[in-house]
Amino acid sequence: MQQYRVVFEGAFYKIVQDDMAEVLLFEGKPVSATCVEHGTHRDLNCPHIESL
């Protein structure tokens, strides 16, 4: 089971993270992400991000 933390939760935005990645969600849909291996990127096919 994947463990993640909700870092921020607002009216429209939510940021979740684990030890390998962080994802910005807008109305529940991923918009942008950062991972420890690749840094900031919009490609959400990264295995670190898919695990979230």
Side-chain angles (χ1 to χ4, degrees):
M1 182 174 167
Q2 181 70 24
Q3 293 285 339
Y4 68 89
R5 298 172 292 285
V6 177
V7 179
F8 174 81
E9 188 164 4
F12 299 101
Y13 290 98
K14 185 180 204 179
I15 300 173
V16 295
Q17 72 177 193
D18 64 6
D19 294 336
M20 299 300 289
E22 182 174 279
V23 177
L24 171 66
L25 304 165
F26 177 71
E27 295 183 346
K29 297 178 183 173
V31 176
S32 182
T34 302
C35 77
V36 296
E37 186 176 350
H38 303 112
T40 302
H41 51 83
R42 292 185 185 259
D43 179 17
L44 302 177
N45 293 325
C46 173
H48 302 296
I49 294 165
E50 289 177 350
S51 69
L52 281 174

